[in-house]
């Protein structure tokens, strides 16, 4: 297991996510080549790297949208999969997977909202259908989260009536509604223009200030440096460099990391 990345604080929180020696192939193409990481409560981990480096596949495996070929994954005390014979990933049963899915939330780059649902229903539907919460209680939580996202008064609108930044904030509210242990972001600003990008990044900064545990795949290097406390640089399905976010971005030690970051202004 890879040693935890040090942070500036003295936090000794228990791991929320533990991934060890994760391997994933699509046909003959090995996309993940032994990735290990640990995310503790309150961590903000940024994952950066070139397109095709395995970042999104890693996130899809962490969120159970894809299954690992090898390695192990746990959410706290929920062991999602273990290494079986020959290093093959052996997944738990339906109850284990159902329990694991309550431990995380996922914000997609393309929002992934239901177009025919109102803003409020997009946020509350998982609370009613998955958590079996009463409609009244779900709506109370949904309205509070939408207000937190600066979307008070938008509850009865449908997604097409909102800007891209507003839609992404609805998606964040929906993910937060399930009260997850960790929130994943898959390039949350890639579909947005610079003004709307700032809007969404402000919300993520606020969540970081509230010590929300987050894993963020991003191309926003200055944001990663300023907001994340840990950072992983991936290329070719491997972790090339890891460390404190500011250290890696300001003074990368690996030549491949330096070459990648040289293409970004302001870092």
């Amino acid at each position: 297991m890879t040693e935890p990345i040090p942070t500036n604080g003295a936090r000794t929180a228990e791991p929320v996510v533990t991934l060890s020696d994760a391997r994933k192939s699509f046909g003959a193409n090995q996309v993940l080549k032994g990735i290990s990481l640990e995310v503790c409560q309150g961590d903000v981990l940024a994952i950066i790297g070139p397109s095709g480096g395995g970042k999104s596949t890693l996130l899809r495996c962490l969120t159970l949208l894809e299954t690992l070929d090898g390695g192990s994954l746990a959410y706290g005390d929920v062991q999602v999969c273990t290494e079986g014979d020959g290093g093959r990933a052996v997944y738990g049963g339906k109850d284990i997977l159902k329990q694991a899915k309550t431990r995380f939330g996922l914000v997609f780059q393309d929002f992934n909202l239901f177009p025919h649902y109102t803003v409020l229903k997009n946020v509350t539907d998982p609370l009613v259908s998955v958590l079996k919460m009463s409609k009244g209680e779900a709506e109370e939580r949904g309205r509070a989260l939408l207000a937190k996202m600066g979307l008070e008064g938008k509850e009865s609108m449908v997604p097409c009536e909102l800007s891209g930044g507003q839609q992404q904030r609805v998606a964040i509210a929906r993910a937060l509604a399930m009260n997850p242990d960790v929130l994943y972001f898959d390039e949350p600003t890639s579909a947005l223009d610079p003004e709307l990008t700032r809007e969404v990044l402000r919300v993520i900064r606020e969540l970081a200030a509230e010590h929300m545990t987050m894993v963020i795949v991003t191309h926003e290097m200055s944001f990663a440096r300023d907001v994340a406390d840990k950072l992983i640089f991936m290329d070719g399905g491997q972790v090339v460099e890891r460390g404190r976010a500011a250290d890696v971005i300001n003074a990368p030690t690996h030549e491949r990391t330096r070459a990648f970051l040289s293409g970004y202004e302001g870092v």
Side-chain angles (χ1 to χ4, degrees), residues 47-51 55 187 190 217-222 260 264:
I47 303 176
I48 65 170
S51 297
K55 305 184 303 298
E187 298 188 19
S190 65
V217 172
T218 183
H219 286 295
E220 299 286 339
M221 296 303 131
S222 59
F260 175 78
Y264 288 88

Side-chain angles (χ1 to χ4, degrees), residues 76-188:
D77 59 350
V78 179
Q79 190 69 48
V80 179
C81 66
T82 57
E83 269 199 312
D85 294 340
R88 183 175 62 90
V90 179
Y91 279 77
K94 289 182 178 179
D95 289 346
I96 291 290
L97 298 181
K98 184 178 180 181
Q99 192 176 354
K101 288 175 181 178
T102 67
R103 300 293 181 97
F104 62 80
L106 173 60
V107 179
F108 298 87
Q109 56 184 288
D110 57 356
F111 323 137
N112 209 37
L113 300 174
F114 291 108
H116 56 293
Y117 283 5
T118 64
V119 164
L120 183 60
K121 187 170 174 59
N122 263 287
V123 175
T124 61
D125 188 64
L127 298 178
V128 176
S129 61
V130 178
L131 297 187
K132 308 303 179 185
M133 192 177 287
S134 71
K135 183 179 179 181
E137 189 179 359
E139 289 192 352
E140 183 179 357
R141 182 183 293 188
R143 289 180 187 279
L145 282 167
L146 289 169
K148 179 183 177 71
M149 295 294 117
L151 295 169
E152 199 166 11
K154 309 287 187 186
E155 295 89 349
S156 62
M157 292 183 174
V158 291
C160 67
E161 296 178 291
L162 303 179
S163 70
Q166 289 171 330
Q167 289 185 59
Q168 193 61 294
R169 283 184 280 150
V170 174
I172 294 171
R174 178 181 60 186
L176 285 170
M178 299 292 285
N179 196 27
D181 291 340
V182 57
L183 199 55
Y184 292 106
F185 293 85
D186 187 8
E187 298 188 19

Side-chain angles (χ1 to χ4, degrees), residues 167-220:
Q167 289 185 59
Q168 193 61 294
R169 283 184 280 150
V170 174
I172 294 171
R174 178 181 60 186
L176 285 170
M178 299 292 285
N179 196 27
D181 291 340
V182 57
L183 199 55
Y184 292 106
F185 293 85
D186 187 8
E187 298 188 19
T189 61
S190 65
L192 305 176
D193 64 31
E195 183 176 1
L196 298 180
T197 291
R198 287 192 294 272
E199 199 178 285
V200 172
L201 294 183
R202 176 184 56 78
V203 170
I204 299 175
R205 286 176 189 273
E206 290 172 358
L207 292 174
E210 295 170 6
H211 306 294
M212 180 71 205
T213 308
M214 294 184 282
V215 176
I216 307 167
V217 172
T218 183
H219 286 295
E220 299 286 339

Side-chain angles (χ1 to χ4, degrees), residues 1-3 18-25 30-38 58 61-62 67-74 79 81-84 86-91 237-239 242:
M1 179 66 192
T2 302
E3 286 297 312
T18 306
L19 180 73
S20 182
D21 197 24
R23 303 181 301 283
K24 177 67 178 178
S25 296
Q30 190 175 4
V31 181
L32 300 180
K33 303 173 182 177
I35 304 290
S36 296
L37 61 84
E38 184 179 89
L58 173 61
C61 290
L62 286 168
T67 55
L68 293 169
D69 298 330
S72 64
L73 171 64
Q79 190 69 48
C81 66
T82 57
E83 269 199 312
R88 183 175 62 90
V90 179
Y91 279 77
Q238 297 177 306
V239 174
R242 68 174 79 211

